Amino acid sequence: MPADFEHDRLLVTCASGKQASHLLPHVSEKWKNITLAVHSSTSEERLKNQYPTRDVVSGDLMDPAFVKRIMNGVTAVFHLCPGFHPHEDIVGYNMIDAAVEEAKNGSLKHFVYSSVEEYLMESGLKYTILQPTHFMDMFPVPMLVQQSSPIFVANWDPSIPFSFVALRDLGEAGAKVLIEREKHFFAQYPLVSDGPTPYTDVVRHASDAIGKSIKLEQRPFQEAVNFMLDRFFGEDVPVRARDGMERMLLFYNRRGLVGNSNVLEWLLGRKPTSHEQWMRLAVAEAKQ
Ligand SMILES: NC(=O)c1ccc[n+]([C@@H]2O[C@H](COP(=O)([O-])OP(=O)(O)OC[C@H]3O[C@@H](n4cnc5c(N)ncnc54)[C@H](OP(=O)(O)O)[C@@H]3O)[C@@H](O)[C@H]2O)c1
């Protein structure tokens, strides 16, 4: 059975984040009942203004009581985990335990998780796992458009190829999975829009689209770790998050992240967004 927009309640976690901001335009007008869960009061305020008819709640996904409360009466969950959360596993367990309870005694029919999760596969829930690769949208187009002599400083070896996913494709694919529901039970979808492409080529596409030659540099490893952690945590960095970031950058430096776009093409029913296409759209938006 597909989603019943009139009677179902959809819960989206990390609703203020990058992935959700590209999912919500595809679903917010369809479902009558949507709960948007965030962490901070700033994001709560922002989403309440943006989606005034939706239930926006703030709380910590580490708190099982909060998770149980937001899961109550939910039919479909789109679960996103906070990036580099030092206890991603506990957040996942809280969500899945509350979902199992709601499936048993309440209304839950579908759990969509945008990551890999063995605990979910063993839970007995009807799940779909989305496995997005590296986001195209992390590339700082607005900053490069503004600079008179633009410089892109890579946080890993820019000659190593990556496969990329465009958040606009990811949002559309996530909405399709929620809407069509049963068709996607027990599926795992590796989601890639384009690539493998090294950042040297990404910078070339950006230079062409912006119309200025962008200089490419690489940050030394430890500086790159600190730079990335600062973006997620500011001054107070949990030690486990530092371990995770160091491991990720070492992996990126040697192996990148590669995949294949066939699954996303099938899911969308169209060619996913190429890097050149995305770059043109991002430059046009930045110049507005
Ligand atoms: N970057 C990539 O290339 C990439 C690729 C594939 C997968 N991913 C995965 O994407 C996920 C992150 O998604 P995103 O990029 O959409 O998020 P994001 O833009 O980093 O935003 C973080 C979200 O987490 C919420 N949050 C933070 N701490 C929380 C807590 N304790 N309890 C509840 N909510 C909390 C924030 O809410 P507030 O706004 O209220 O603070 C915000 O909505 C991660 O699991 C990451 O591994 C990233």
Side-chain angles (χ1 to χ4, degrees), residues 65-247:
F66 171 69
V67 173
K68 215 172 154 181
R69 183 158 62 78
I70 57 173
M71 193 67 75
N72 189 27
V74 161
T75 324
V77 181
F78 197 94
H79 174 50
L80 294 158
C81 189
F84 278 95
H85 195 288
H87 298 294
E88 187 170 345
D89 50 348
I90 297 176
V91 169
Y93 294 156
N94 284 346
M95 286 294 297
I96 293 163
D97 287 346
V100 168
E101 190 65 33
E102 187 61 31
K104 227 187 276 169
N105 302 319
S107 47
L108 192 83
K109 295 198 173 108
H110 194 193
F111 191 111
V112 183
Y113 185 34
S114 190
S115 194
V116 190
E117 185 57 85
E118 195 180 326
Y119 193 65
L120 177 59
M121 291 158 84
E122 294 166 352
S123 66
L125 289 168
K126 297 191 168 79
Y127 64 83
T128 309
I129 296 175
L130 308 181
Q131 300 165 342
T133 180
H134 195 65
F135 298 161
M136 278 184 202
D137 305 58
M138 300 297 279
F139 191 73
V141 170
M143 185 192 85
L144 296 169
V145 164
Q146 274 172 18
Q147 290 173 339
S148 49
S149 308
I151 304 178
F152 175 67
V153 188
N155 287 308
W156 42 80
D157 182 345
S159 69
I160 300 290
F162 280 77
S163 295
F164 294 85
V165 67
L167 286 177
R168 61 198 295 269
D169 293 348
L170 188 54
E172 194 177 323
K176 197 155 193 209
V177 165
L178 281 170
I179 291 164
E180 295 175 349
R181 188 175 289 165
E182 194 167 352
K183 183 175 174 189
H184 305 283
F185 283 172
F186 313 120
Q188 297 177 62
Y189 298 138
L191 298 178
V192 170
S193 297
D194 197 8
T197 309
Y199 267 87
T200 44
D201 285 359
V202 172
V203 168
R204 199 164 39 75
H205 297 154
S207 298
D208 292 346
I210 294 174
K212 280 185 262 186
S213 170
I214 300 170
K215 195 169 164 207
L216 175 58
E217 293 178 355
Q218 185 183 350
R219 239 177 225 112
F221 175 72
Q222 206 56 54
E223 269 180 42
V225 169
N226 292 338
F227 178 87
M228 296 283 287
L229 287 170
D230 187 54
R231 277 184 12 189
F232 282 97
F233 297 100
E235 281 182 1
D236 207 5
V237 182
V239 71
R240 278 159 56 107
R242 180 169 292 280
D243 294 343
M245 185 63 77
E246 286 175 351
R247 277 197 291 268

Side-chain angles (χ1 to χ4, degrees), residues 40-47:
S40 63
S41 50
T42 326
S43 292
E44 184 184 0
E45 203 58 34
R46 181 169 66 77
L47 286 196

Side-chain angles (χ1 to χ4, degrees), residues 22-61:
H22 287 263
L23 170 80
L24 293 179
H26 295 284
V27 298
S28 63
E29 296 302 319
K30 290 203 161 68
W31 269 261
K32 202 169 158 194
N33 307 300
I34 301 187
T35 304
L36 302 176
V38 297
H39 190 221
S40 63
S41 50
T42 326
S43 292
E44 184 184 0
E45 203 58 34
R46 181 169 66 77
L47 286 196
K48 276 184 174 161
N49 285 331
Q50 202 175 347
Y51 299 102
T53 60
R54 302 306 178 193
D55 299 309
V56 182
V57 288
S58 66
D60 193 339
L61 294 175

